[in-house]
Structure formats: C-alpha cells, structure tokens
Amino acid sequence: DTGVSQNPRHKITKRGQNVTFRCDPISEHNRLYWYRQTLGQGPEFLTYFQNEAQLEKSRLLSDRFSAERPKGSFSTLEIQRTEQGDSAMYLCASSRRGPNNEQFFGPGTRLTVL
Amino acid sequence: AQRVTQPEKLLSVFKGAPVELKCNYSYSGSPELFWYVQYSRQRLQLLLRHISRESIKGFTADLNKGETSFHLKKPFAQEEDSAMYYCALTGLRDSNYQLIWGAGTKLIIKP
C-alpha cells in the first residue's frame, strides 16, 4: 500500500500521559497536514508542513501539542499531559506542491483519553 | 469568517431517487470547493472539486457564487453511494491550502 499510513491506529491513555502519533506520507508528497476530527464534526486543521518546515499552526493547537517533520518525510504529533477533551480522531494528509493539489488522507489514529 | 455549512446531518433516499446534498460556504476571497466522501471503514477520499468541472460516479456539483453554495447532486442514487459526505473549501490564494470542512452529511440509500 503506497498511500498515507498512520500509527498507531488506536491509542488509549490515561489523563496526564503523553502520546505520540506517526504519519508516513506518500513518498513524493512534500506537503503534510494534521487534522483533528471529533464525533459528528468534520476535520479541523491543526498544522501544516512543507518539507521539514512547519508553516502554519492553528489556534486550536495548544502548547501541549507539538508536531515535527525532521527530514521532510514522516511526521510526528505529540500531545503532552493529555486531557479528556483531546479524545478524537487525528488525521494526516499529504499532497504535492502546487496550487490546490488533492490531499490524500491516512486512516487516522483514534485517541481515547480516560 | 470562513465557514462551510452542511445543514443536513442525515439524508435518506430510496435507490433510484435523485439526491442533493447541500453545502453553503462563507469565504472572503476566492475559494476552491471540494466534496470528500468516506465509505464505511475506509479513509476520506476526494470525490470531486469545482475547478475540474467533472462528474464522478454520477455526481456533479456546481459552484454558485451568488448563493455561495456548492450542492452535490446525483440524478439516480445507488446503494453503493451510502457514505459520509463532506464539503470543504480552501482559498485559491492561501499559501498553505488548508481545508475548512463542513460537519458532514450521512447519506443512506434505501433499497
């Protein structure tokens, strides 16, 4: 499968713990996006990378959230001191450079904070 | 404010009937509009975009700038069309092309 992959697919953690998710984009895509989706809602933009540079962060992204894409390939999203409100599906997408190229989505990581 | 509104959480129609999924948007610049679909146990995937002006799986959508709408239509629904449908937009001049999403409409096609 050469699509976007995300690991783990599911994560259950206790409040206050740190969690880290990984996204592997399609190899030739230099743009990478993180979104969060809660039940009954559409995805919400969190952050965006072009190659290794993080170019945009949503105001939704509190300072407990950090994302990296160190070599311009895979990306990690870390949430520190998780809260119950962080429970959601975390989606990663990638696209080619250029105007309005299609974003290809991964299967998501479902986080449950107890 | 930039916003996408899908007024129907759920739409249920019989097989063979016409389908219209509504999408209204608010955007200060020039938007590009998309419809994404998520079939059961599958990932989000692009269905169509207004710039392409194409019909995919029998679905079409026309951008109406006067009414700020981008409704998705299909003349004869099929059972395999049952899925979640999301309308989304991005700014044609935005530098990051982040997508702004509606809440989605669950489409159920009854046999």
Side-chain angles (χ1 to χ4, degrees):
Chain A
D1 185 1
T2 55
V4 178
S5 61
Q6 292 186 245
N7 288 289
R9 295 291 305 276
H10 303 273
K11 178 71 177 178
I12 299 174
T13 191
K14 292 183 179 178
R15 190 175 50 186
Q17 297 294 304
N18 300 342
V19 294
T20 300
F21 310 141
R22 176 176 170 130
C23 170
D24 286 87
I26 294 171
S27 58
E28 63 266 28
H29 288 182
N30 50 15
R31 290 187 169 165
L32 187 147
Y33 303 80
W34 284 99
Y35 294 88
R36 179 172 66 188
Q37 185 175 23
T38 53
L39 200 61
Q41 299 298 318
E44 295 173 299
F45 170 77
L46 292 179
T47 190
Y48 154 71
F49 290 85
Q50 183 159 298
N51 300 313
E52 66 276 7
Q54 187 175 19
L55 298 185
E56 184 92 10
K57 287 173 64 172
S58 166
R59 285 169 290 177
L60 293 174
L61 214 62
S62 79
D63 53 10
R64 295 184 297 105
F65 287 69
S66 61
E68 294 183 341
R69 195 183 182 197
K71 297 181 181 178
S73 56
F74 73 91
S75 175
T76 58
L77 178 68
E78 181 183 15
I79 309 174
Q80 296 182 325
R81 305 181 303 282
T82 52
E83 301 172 357
Q84 286 186 323
D86 297 331
S87 295
M89 177 73 85
Y90 289 84
L91 296 167
C92 176
S94 69
S95 72
R96 287 192 179 89
R97 188 173 183 172
N100 300 311
N101 274 302
E102 177 180 350
Q103 292 185 23
F104 291 81
F105 282 81
T109 295
R110 181 168 294 285
L111 173 66
T112 301
V113 182
L114 302 175
Chain B
Q2 302 170 16
R3 182 175 297 164
V4 176
T5 303
Q6 293 180 251
E8 302 138 331
K9 286 272 188 192
L10 174 67
L11 183 63
S12 181
V13 302
F14 284 103
K15 177 182 170 182
V19 170
E20 183 178 47
L21 299 166
K22 291 185 167 52
C23 172
N24 289 90
Y25 67 90
S26 171
Y27 190 77
S28 55
S30 297
E32 181 175 7
L33 276 296
F34 303 82
W35 278 98
Y36 276 79
V37 61
Q38 188 167 28
Y39 300 102
S40 179
R41 298 190 187 89
Q42 295 187 27
R43 60 188 68 188
L44 274 166
Q45 57 186 287
L46 179 67
L47 180 62
L48 55 78
R49 59 207 302 178
H50 90 268
I51 278 182
S52 302
R53 294 184 175 274
E54 54 192 349
S55 173
I56 304 292
K57 299 184 179 182
F59 285 97
T60 59
D62 291 317
L63 179 61
N64 185 324
K65 292 184 179 180
E67 295 182 359
T68 59
S69 68
F70 188 57
H71 303 327
L72 184 68
K73 299 177 185 179
K74 184 169 183 176
F76 307 104
Q78 298 172 305
E79 287 186 68
E80 54 264 35
D81 296 329
S82 295
M84 279 295 296
Y85 289 81
Y86 295 94
C87 182
L89 72 76
T90 187
L92 282 168
R93 294 201 201 95
D94 281 346
S95 60
N96 66 17
Y97 310 109
Q98 64 162 287
L99 290 167
I100 298 166
W101 299 77
T105 298
K106 184 172 185 176
L107 177 63
I108 296 175
I109 307 301
K110 296 178 285 189

